[in-house]
Amino acid sequence: MNMIGQVAGIQNIGQTNGINTNNSINTNSNFIKIFEDALKMAAEADQVSKESGTELLDMTVEDLHSVIIDAEKAQLTLGLAVQIRNRVIDAYNEIMRMQI
Amino acid sequence: MGFFRSMDISASALTAERFRLDVIAENIANMNTTRTAEGGPYRRKTVSFEQIQKPFSEYLDTSFRGNGVRVSAVHEDPSPFKLVYDPNHPDANEEGYVEMPNVDIVTEMIDMISASRAYEANVTALNAYKNIAMRALEIGK
């Protein structure tokens, strides 16, 4: 549920970027933070998945399904990270296209 | 992680059903075992499940949160052993009867089907969750 709270942070872009230029640096770091968090989660899930994969090869794994489920989790979290990246880049492009 | 909870619940059920299948396999494997470490023939084993209680830290939280299932205990079936007349068997008593395990292959087969179907059902639930999550990622595309 953490992620969704952070995604909601995207909504702030409209408010902070509109008129108040003082916040531009802050907003920029927000962009990066959202993306970094998503990527960190994906990396963690991937790491868990990798570890259970190694356990599978070692034949020390207790359940086959836990390996598959870890892989599924990693895949889903990566999907989420990619979607967040897409949203962030879309928002960035939108701002860059703004007429001056 | 909260949004993987349903996956974790299904995973706990998969583990429990797999354990049940282990016990059934053990019963079938020892269908003809007349000697065990406890003495006497093999006794059929059954599994009981229990709902996983929420951790102490969540006790004041009244909202529903499933935690899944786990194996609570492995029981021994107290039903009597089958007596088979076989005077040549090394474990036969004076009258020539051998005590055979109280494992009934038909019951075990039914349990096995039940366990594997339950496993399948939980895999289906897991896949349904995965599909929901994938659909959620497609929002706004």
Side-chain angles (χ1 to χ4, degrees):
Chain A
M1 287 300 133
N2 280 342
M3 286 310 308
I4 291 164
Q6 286 155 10
V7 177
I10 292 174
Q11 290 169 346
N12 295 337
I13 293 159
Q15 299 157 5
T16 44
N17 230 21
I19 310 156
N20 202 341
T21 41
N22 291 346
N23 280 346
S24 60
I25 299 163
N26 201 4
T27 316
N28 195 24
S29 69
N30 248 354
F31 264 132
I32 294 165
K33 177 121 179 38
I34 293 164
F35 183 48
E36 262 182 1
D37 285 348
L39 214 55
K40 218 177 273 171
M41 260 180 70
E44 257 169 44
D46 185 52
Q47 186 59 35
V48 172
S49 167
K50 243 182 221 158
E51 276 166 20
S52 49
T54 319
E55 276 177 19
L56 179 68
L57 292 177
D58 289 352
M59 302 299 266
T60 51
V61 71
E62 183 69 19
D63 291 306
L64 201 57
H65 59 253
S66 55
V67 180
I68 308 293
I69 288 172
D70 284 343
E72 288 293 338
K73 279 182 184 172
Q75 194 192 346
L76 277 176
T77 336
L78 183 66
L80 185 61
V82 169
Q83 288 302 322
I84 288 169
R85 183 206 72 139
N86 291 347
R87 302 293 197 280
V88 168
I89 286 175
D90 277 355
Y92 180 75
N93 282 339
E94 207 62 55
I95 290 158
M96 289 313 273
R97 274 201 294 269
M98 208 180 283
Q99 273 198 341
I100 305 162
Chain B
M1 266 179 286
F3 58 75
F4 281 137
R5 185 179 286 270
S6 130
M7 237 178 182
D8 292 333
I9 291 172
S10 291
S12 77
L14 291 182
T15 309
E17 292 300 338
R18 198 202 52 98
F19 185 83
R20 195 168 137 212
L21 214 54
D22 282 358
V23 172
I24 293 167
E26 173 86 350
N27 285 341
I28 293 175
N30 284 296
M31 209 165 53
N32 294 308
T33 306
T34 51
R35 292 177 194 188
T36 55
E38 299 87 45
Y42 175 81
R43 231 174 228 294
R44 171 173 178 257
K45 286 173 181 59
T46 53
V47 184
S48 60
F49 292 164
E50 69 181 6
Q51 191 185 12
I52 297 179
Q53 295 296 309
K54 49 179 162 185
F56 184 68
S57 55
E58 286 177 15
Y59 254 80
L60 292 176
D61 184 1
T62 48
S63 61
F64 171 76
R65 270 191 205 164
N67 287 305
V69 64
R70 70 164 170 226
V71 173
S72 66
V74 177
H75 307 281
E76 290 201 329
D77 185 350
S79 64
F81 294 120
K82 284 179 284 187
L83 283 178
V84 175
Y85 184 70
D86 184 3
N88 294 325
H89 197 284
D91 294 321
N93 60 14
E94 290 80 31
E95 287 92 42
Y97 282 97
V98 189
E99 276 193 323
M100 294 303 269
N102 53 354
V103 176
D104 179 24
I105 186 71
V106 180
T107 317
E108 296 310 319
M109 281 298 170
I110 293 168
D111 283 354
M112 200 163 80
I113 292 168
S114 151
S116 60
R117 287 285 178 269
Y119 195 95
E120 273 177 33
N122 282 296
V123 169
T124 308
L126 226 155
N127 283 337
Y129 170 74
K130 199 203 154 192
N131 281 335
I132 288 174
M134 296 294 268
R135 288 282 171 278
L137 291 184
E138 284 172 19
I139 292 174
K141 253 187 189 173

